[in-house]
């Protein structure tokens, strides 16, 4: 009995999630029990600030400064020297005096005041710039977990609205504390750094940009709630009820968000441990498969094999990188031989796993196995899943189902868990597409069971899976909680047939494959 290897066929977004989960399934003393798409809280804030703007000095004012610096001290002398009308000159000098660049000063040996440059005027002339205060409004991002202003750079375009988050069935991580930020929560130095960073980005696309310093924050004009997409990774201690929650943003773990989440005791507030206990995968397996059969699971043996598989995969990755960089034919031949040997070792380890009658499935193994079952089933395919959602039951899945049906494969899909009040228009279209297949093919049985707490997948006599993973709605579930989504894979032929027969009773059919 061959359990298929994992080929990632569709849904790049889901593939990325599985790859991220697999990459970070290495926390000592903890099991990765669930991962879900989440939105981390972000406030987009428009803040009113008093700024100091450095503007390029106007030419007339620059020449007035130069004339005074050269020793001219009266308006008549300066106007005559520059060839300007006195009224125009006076406007420029008024601006220079208001900005404290020039002043009337009486020399020590004279009772008459003359125009002189102030220290600021001397600096302005050197820099050929003028500094004036100005009120401006800035839009900045405030992280609802970290509780400070952050620069998001290119990731800012990924921020999601609350409506979009709900539409995608993503879990909303609330801010801690729940109140929106006040002016007292925002540090002037943080805002100044963000504005400086924004200026640097603008300089890349503009020939000139205004330089500015933030002098004071005056008020918050507007607050809008957004969410930064992330993948929440839920870890449970092997020998206790401790739960840790990590967040991968753009594929990388954010220790800052994990620590802030832990400090807020957010796992307890969100009842994550209770939800994990309610969906404990071993208890579910015992209920469906029987306690005695589940007790046969060779935990240590399987763990050892999986560790070897991980090690060999790391070797394959390193060898491929070396192969891309090497220049000599001799080294290329040796590296190719090493790759071939490593791939053969993977096949041998996979054969050892396939020989195990029952083993636990990691959370990231489910979707690849579903895709393999949809592609490779030859005689029968059974899927029990509560919800039909467009994000999972997409065009590719519908096409694969039809290919199976055209080949004569018997397909059974049972779904439904109470009333589905959360079904959206596109979800209805997905369900309608599956119902249309049932109308077209006699070898397809689709039934609303109304009670599908246990999710089951059976492909031929190759394997059966009992889990809490929702096969047809891995996103967009109405009950958006963190469940223990590990599962149990059965390769024992009598047990597979027993489970299949049991499920057929729910379809009120007597079917033998």
């Amino acid at each position: 009995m061959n359990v298929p290897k994992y080929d990632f066929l569709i849904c790049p977004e889901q593939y990325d999630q599985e790859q991220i989960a697999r990459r970070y399934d290495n926390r000592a003393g903890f099991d990765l029990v669930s991962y879900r798409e989440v939105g981390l809280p972000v406030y987009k804030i428009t803040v009113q600030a008093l700024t100091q703007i450095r503007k390029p000095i106007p030419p007339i004012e620059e020449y007035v400064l130069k004339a005074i610096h050269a020793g001219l001290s009266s308006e008549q002398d300066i106007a005559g020297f520059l060839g300007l009308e006195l009224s125009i000159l006076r406007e420029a000098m008024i601006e220079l005096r208001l900005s404290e660049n020039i002043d009337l000063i009486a020399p020590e040996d004279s009772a008459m005041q003359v125009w002189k440059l102030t220290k600021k005027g001397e600096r302005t002339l050197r820099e050929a710039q003028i500094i004036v205060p100005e009120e401006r409004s800035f839009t900045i991002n405030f992280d609802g977990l970290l509780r400070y202003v952050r620069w998001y750079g290119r990731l800012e375009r990924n921020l999601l609205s609350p409506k979009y988050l709900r539409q995608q069935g993503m879990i909303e991580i609330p801010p801690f504390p729940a109140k929106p930020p006040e002016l007292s929560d925002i540090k002037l130095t943080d805002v100044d750094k963000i504005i400086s960073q924004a200026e640097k980005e603008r300089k890349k696309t503009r020939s000139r940009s205004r330089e500015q310093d933030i002098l004071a924050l005056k008020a918050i004009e507007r607050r809008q709630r957004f969410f930064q997409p992330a993948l929440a990774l839920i870890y449970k201690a092997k020998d206790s009820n401790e739960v840790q929650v990590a967040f991968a943003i753009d594929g990388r773990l954010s220790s800052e968000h994990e620590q802030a989440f832990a400090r807020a005791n957010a796992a307890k507030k969100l009842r994550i441990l209770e939800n994990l206990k309610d969906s404990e995968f071993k208890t579910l397996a015992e209920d469906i498969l029987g306690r005695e059969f589940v007790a046969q699971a060779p935990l240590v043996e399987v763990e050892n094999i999986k560790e070897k598989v991980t090690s060999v995969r790391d070797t394959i990755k390193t060898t491929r990188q070396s192969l891309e960089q090497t220049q000599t034919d001799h080294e290329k031949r040796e590296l190719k031989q090493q790759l071939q040997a490593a791939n053969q070792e993977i096949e041998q380890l996979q054969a050892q796993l396939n020989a195990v009658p029952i083993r636990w499935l990691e959370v990231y193994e489910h979707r690849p196995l579903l895709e393999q079952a949809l592609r490779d089933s030859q005689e029968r395919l059974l899927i029990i899943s509560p919800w039909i959602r467009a994000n999972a039951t997409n065009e590719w899945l519908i096409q694969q189902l039809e290919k199976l049906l055209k080949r004569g494969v018997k397909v059974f899909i049972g779904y439904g868990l109470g009333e589905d009040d959360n079904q959206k228009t596109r979800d209805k279209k997905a369900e309608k597409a599956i119902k249309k297949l049932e109308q077209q093919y006699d070898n397809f049985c689709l039934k609303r069971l109304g009670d599908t707490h246990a999710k089951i997948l059976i492909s031929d006599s190759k394997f059966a899976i009992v889990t809490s993973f929702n096969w047809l709605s891995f996103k967009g579930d109405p009950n958006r909680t963190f469940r223990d989504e590990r599962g149990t894979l059965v390769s024992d032929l009598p047990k597979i047939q027993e489970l299949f027969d049991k499920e057929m009773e729910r379809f009120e059919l007597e079917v033998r494959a």
Side-chain angles (χ1 to χ4, degrees), residues 11 14 17-18 35-37 167-171 366-367 370 374 383-394 397 413-417 420 422-424 426-428 430-431 434 452-456 467-481 483 485:
C11 193
Q14 184 68 11
Q17 293 176 22
E18 288 156 358
Y35 64 89
R36 296 293 300 272
E37 268 192 303
Q167 289 175 343
Q168 295 300 309
M170 298 169 65
I171 295 177
H366 289 79
R367 185 71 185 185
L370 171 63
L374 286 165
I383 301 173
I384 306 294
S385 185
W387 312 109
I388 295 177
R389 293 288 182 262
N391 282 316
T393 312
N394 53 22
L397 189 145
I413 294 181
Y415 72 106
L417 183 63
D420 189 0
N422 293 273
Q423 197 177 37
K424 299 178 177 62
R426 55 189 185 140
D427 299 329
K428 293 178 181 178
E431 184 176 345
I434 289 184
T452 52
H453 288 288
K455 292 79 178 176
I456 295 172
T467 182
S468 62
F469 179 86
N470 291 334
W471 300 108
L472 302 180
S473 59
F474 64 87
K475 287 172 59 178
D477 298 332
N479 183 22
R480 294 188 294 272
T481 59
R483 300 185 303 270
E485 288 189 329

Side-chain angles (χ1 to χ4, degrees), residues 1 289 293 379-380 382 412 458-464 490-505 510-513:
M1 287 171 285
L289 302 170
F293 181 77
E379 299 176 355
R380 66 187 182 187
L382 177 124
F412 307 90
I458 299 177
S459 176
D460 297 330
S461 297
K462 299 173 186 174
F463 66 89
V490 178
S491 300
D492 180 77
L493 180 56
K495 182 57 72 171
I496 293 173
Q497 188 62 47
E498 177 188 326
L499 182 58
F500 182 79
D501 291 342
K502 182 179 179 181
E503 293 303 317
M504 284 301 97
E505 294 176 3
E510 291 184 1
V511 179
R512 293 295 183 271

Side-chain angles (χ1 to χ4, degrees), residues 207-301:
S207 58
R208 296 175 67 185
S209 64
R210 300 196 303 178
E211 297 180 1
Q212 56 199 333
D213 297 318
I214 309 296
L215 301 178
L217 302 178
K218 301 189 69 177
I220 293 178
E221 296 177 348
R222 187 182 183 190
R223 300 177 184 86
Q224 290 178 285
R225 288 197 320 137
F226 284 88
F227 294 90
Q228 182 178 26
L231 192 68
L233 303 166
I234 313 301
Y235 299 90
K236 186 176 181 298
K238 294 178 182 293
D239 54 3
S240 72
N241 286 328
E242 183 183 354
V243 172
Q244 294 183 359
V245 182
F247 299 97
I249 300 173
D250 199 29
R252 297 184 178 184
L253 291 184
S254 170
S255 59
E256 287 183 300
H257 285 89
E258 178 175 354
Q259 292 165 11
F261 192 83
R263 284 195 302 270
N265 201 18
K268 183 176 181 179
K269 294 174 182 176
L270 296 178
R271 304 184 74 250
I272 290 178
L273 179 60
E274 287 85 344
N275 289 325
L276 294 180
K277 287 181 177 179
D278 290 343
S279 57
E280 216 284 329
F281 78 104
K282 291 182 182 179
T283 302
L284 180 64
E286 290 175 350
D287 291 342
I288 302 299
L289 302 170
R291 184 169 297 178
E292 292 183 3
F293 181 77
V294 171
Q296 301 176 32
L299 302 181
V300 176
E301 179 185 347

Side-chain angles (χ1 to χ4, degrees), residues 302-437:
V302 171
E303 284 297 318
N304 291 338
I305 294 173
K306 286 185 175 181
E307 287 179 5
K308 290 179 182 178
V309 169
T310 300
S311 177
V312 176
R313 281 177 174 162
D314 290 340
T315 300
I316 290 174
K317 182 179 179 180
T318 303
T319 306
R320 283 176 176 167
Q321 291 173 346
S322 300
L323 187 59
E324 292 175 357
Q325 297 172 359
T326 189
Q327 301 293 326
T328 68
D329 293 337
H330 175 69
E331 289 179 347
K332 286 182 180 179
R333 283 194 299 270
E334 286 189 346
L335 290 170
K336 286 180 179 179
Q337 289 175 358
Q338 292 175 19
L339 271 180
Q340 185 177 5
N343 284 320
Q344 289 175 351
E345 187 175 358
I346 287 285
E347 291 179 2
Q348 293 170 0
L349 292 169
Q350 185 67 49
Q352 293 178 34
L353 275 180
N354 295 346
V356 175
I358 175 175
R359 70 176 179 88
W360 310 136
L361 277 183
E362 304 298 342
V363 290
Y364 43 76
E365 294 183 278
H366 289 79
R367 185 71 185 185
L369 280 168
L370 171 63
E371 293 173 3
Q372 289 285 27
L374 286 165
R375 188 186 68 180
D376 296 339
S377 294
Q378 299 297 317
E379 299 176 355
R380 66 187 182 187
L381 173 67
L382 177 124
I383 301 173
I384 306 294
S385 185
W387 312 109
I388 295 177
R389 293 288 182 262
N391 282 316
T393 312
N394 53 22
E395 184 178 354
W396 182 89
L397 189 145
I398 299 296
Q399 291 174 348
Q400 288 303 121
L401 280 176
E402 186 163 19
K403 287 179 181 179
L404 292 180
L405 294 166
K406 286 181 177 180
R407 294 205 311 264
V409 177
K410 296 175 183 178
V411 176
F412 307 90
I413 294 181
Y415 72 106
L417 183 63
E419 295 298 323
D420 189 0
D421 298 327
N422 293 273
Q423 197 177 37
K424 299 178 177 62
T425 301
R426 55 189 185 140
D427 299 329
K428 293 178 181 178
K429 289 182 179 179
E431 184 176 345
K432 185 177 180 180
I434 289 184
K435 288 181 176 179
K436 184 177 180 181
L437 290 179

